[in-house]
Amino acid sequence: MSSIDDKSSVDGVHVVPVHKSQGPDAHLGTIPETEDANAFLASHAIGTYTDESNKKLLRRIDMYLMPMMCISYCIQYIDKSALAYAAVFGVKKDLGLVGQEYSLLTSLFYIGYLVAEYPQAWLSQRYHIGRFLGVIMFIWGGILMCTAATQKFADIAAVRFFQGVFESALTPAYIIVTGMWYTRREQPFRVAIWYSMNGLGNAIGALISYGMGLIDGKLDSWRYIFIIEGIMTIIWSFAVFSIFPSSPMRVRWLNDAQKVQAVERIRSNRTGILNREWKWDQVKEALDPRIDPSGHILFWACVLNEVINGGVSTYKGLVIKSIGWTDLQSALFGIAYGAAVTIEIASCGYCAMRFKNARHWCMILWLLPSAIGMILQITLPTSNKAGKTIGVLLMPSFVGSLALCMGIPGQNTAGFTKRSVVVGMAFIGYCVGNIIGPLAWVSGQTPEYISGYTTCLACMAGQVVLFLLLRIYYAKQNKLRDQMVASGQAPDPSIPDGGEFEDLTDKQDLKFRYTL
């Protein structure tokens, strides 16, 4: 291993030491099982690929990979939101929850999420990601079923904490997986597609809770929600364990030629694919704002976004019910709410892919419907049932901004360890926001929830500032690197150099350009 010990700044661009891996050995007997892209390509013939052949391969990847990710994410959202469905059917009364105890249950879930974030990231990098996620889903399905046996606040608090611990693995892993398989142009829409399964999960969860509400059995109706959803998760975990791939180099549904093409088509990302080595110099680069402030900006953007989400996701069932709908009508309304979530997230991702350099503008624009929806809740009288209902359907639009924000580390952070750390920073912000969010909502304020809505509006304003700062930073870095190319201080990014899979960070690789 060679290294450069000194650091320097060239025309305002921070240049970080490069640690290049050794080239592949002549002995490549185990290459079919390797997850090193350079070694894999060295052992296989690289063809000439047309736009049509790349589109055909993309369709095949979408056909096999996206359904797996979408179903898993849908199940995760259903499980995570089970408490909100249970609230409609009396969980607060049956467990004797008083004061802010109901809000604390959501916070405890995200405290568990926060505690496990980096250990899960480390484990997902070390092991086969499909098998790892399959085991994780099996465990959290069992934990979810345990919720049906809880009798008091302490019982359900412990269960929610451990549910958060194990559910924390899925979304960060999917950000990394999307970066392995898709070009940077394709990623925003794909992230938005699987993230929009929040909406489908909401609709399915609403149907499940509606069905459970009709059961006249020996158990409280809300307990059946946790039992059914837990069984569903455990069954699906076997499929994830058996089918979900580790990387493009190790996948059953592509032949060798297609695997090579899958690797080649994302060469231009310059973000690498997978590296099992945990590199502490990349950790330092991700965490030091003097080198790269983007991770810290993403952290705070996610905090503010999830302060909104923590409150809305926890109280949406009670908000809908406060408008004047019955318990069962409130449960069924979740179908319309879920459809709104799906449309709002997917449309945000599509526009970010369709229009060049528009990602940060989309993140800002998709906050506006949420702001309008919350203002309607504050200003309209309780007698205006239709207006308040429309306002509720507009409220989840902010999640579209989050989907794009969460995808940024996969698109604008190179170096596998650094990317994992930045994804972790974003999800720590995600957890912190969700811990704080429900506490801004006061149960006694129903139906207005003034403190909750005003907090959310303030958080939206803060996000606008952060998204603008992030865009300015990335644009400035691109401009400086282009100037360095013109003056001969940096290599031309249009000329291939074979270093696309060297696991260099975006600061080490001066050919790297940030997406806007």
Side-chain angles (χ1 to χ4, degrees), residues 228-503:
I228 295 299
E229 292 179 7
I231 292 172
M232 179 175 63
T233 302
I234 289 173
I235 292 172
W236 180 247
S237 72
F238 288 100
V240 173
F241 184 91
S242 303
I243 301 172
F244 199 84
S246 174
S247 74
M249 289 83 75
R250 298 181 68 180
V251 58
R252 298 175 184 175
W253 36 266
L254 295 179
N255 60 37
D256 282 351
Q258 290 171 326
K259 292 175 186 178
V260 173
Q261 187 177 358
V263 174
E264 277 293 313
R265 66 183 295 277
I266 61 168
R267 180 184 288 275
S268 62
N269 287 358
R270 301 194 72 90
T271 54
I273 296 180
L274 180 62
N275 191 293
R276 298 294 187 194
E277 180 185 356
W278 187 261
K279 300 180 179 179
W280 288 104
D281 60 320
Q282 293 193 13
V283 174
K284 181 180 179 181
E285 181 177 320
L287 296 178
D288 190 342
R290 296 169 300 177
I291 301 175
D292 188 352
S294 62
H296 294 268
I297 296 174
L298 289 170
F299 167 81
W300 286 109
C302 290
V303 169
L304 295 180
N305 192 285
E306 293 310 283
V307 167
I308 305 169
N309 184 68
V312 171
S313 62
T314 303
Y315 280 85
K316 69 176 183 291
L318 299 176
V319 168
I320 294 167
K321 187 175 178 179
S322 71
I323 293 173
W325 303 104
T326 66
D327 288 355
L328 292 179
Q329 287 173 337
S330 296
L332 284 177
F333 185 81
I335 299 172
Y337 186 89
V341 171
T342 301
I343 293 169
E344 288 159 357
I345 298 177
S347 62
C348 187
Y350 176 78
C351 288
M353 180 184 72
R354 176 68 177 80
F355 300 104
K356 187 177 180 180
N357 296 332
R359 297 177 195 193
H360 296 85
W361 302 131
C362 290
M363 288 157 64
I364 292 171
L365 186 61
W366 260 254
L367 293 172
L368 296 180
S370 294
I372 293 170
M374 292 182 185
I375 291 171
L376 290 176
Q377 300 303 314
I378 295 171
T379 58
L380 291 179
T382 54
S383 58
N384 194 335
K385 191 173 181 179
K388 282 185 170 288
T389 300
I390 292 171
V392 170
L393 294 176
L394 291 174
M395 278 164 50
S397 178
F398 71 92
V399 185
S401 301
L402 178 69
L404 290 189
C405 187
M406 290 294 194
I408 286 176
Q411 299 149 29
N412 278 351
T413 307
F416 197 85
T417 299
K418 182 182 178 183
R419 186 160 63 250
S420 297
V421 173
V422 175
V423 169
M425 292 174 72
F427 276 90
I428 287 173
Y430 174 91
C431 296
V432 171
N434 275 293
I435 291 167
I436 297 171
L439 303 179
W441 294 63
V442 180
S443 298
Q445 291 182 345
T446 183
E448 292 83 4
Y449 294 110
I450 297 296
S451 65
Y453 291 128
T454 53
T455 299
C456 290
L457 291 170
C459 288
M460 290 179 202
Q463 284 177 82
V464 170
V465 174
L466 291 171
F467 292 153
L468 287 173
L469 285 174
L470 195 60
R471 182 184 176 86
I472 291 169
Y473 172 73
Y474 286 146
K476 181 180 178 181
Q477 292 296 304
N478 287 346
K479 182 178 179 180
L480 289 170
R481 293 182 182 204
D482 290 341
Q483 291 172 349
M484 291 171 65
V485 172
S487 64
Q489 295 175 289
D492 188 339
S494 65
I495 301 174
D497 61 1
E500 295 85 358
F501 300 118
E502 283 289 348
D503 198 38

Side-chain angles (χ1 to χ4, degrees), residues 66 185-194 346 349-350 353 404:
M66 292 303 295
R185 180 181 177 274
E186 296 160 356
Q187 287 176 35
F189 187 46
R190 269 68 185 186
V191 171
I193 288 295
W194 57 255
Y350 176 78
M353 180 184 72
L404 290 189

Side-chain angles (χ1 to χ4, degrees), residues 167-240:
E167 287 198 32
S168 68
L170 190 68
T171 310
Y174 276 6
I175 295 292
I176 300 296
V177 167
T178 306
M180 288 182 189
W181 288 89
Y182 295 100
T183 67
R184 292 201 284 170
R185 180 181 177 274
E186 296 160 356
Q187 287 176 35
F189 187 46
R190 269 68 185 186
V191 171
I193 288 295
W194 57 255
Y195 205 89
S196 71
M197 292 301 103
N198 283 344
L200 181 61
N202 209 317
I204 295 174
L207 286 172
I208 292 173
S209 64
Y210 178 78
M212 298 306 100
L214 297 176
I215 293 177
D216 184 19
K218 295 181 179 180
L219 301 177
D220 301 315
S221 58
W222 60 265
R223 297 183 190 273
Y224 291 104
I225 295 174
F226 294 103
I227 294 171
I228 295 299
E229 292 179 7
I231 292 172
M232 179 175 63
T233 302
I234 289 173
I235 292 172
W236 180 247
S237 72
F238 288 100
V240 173

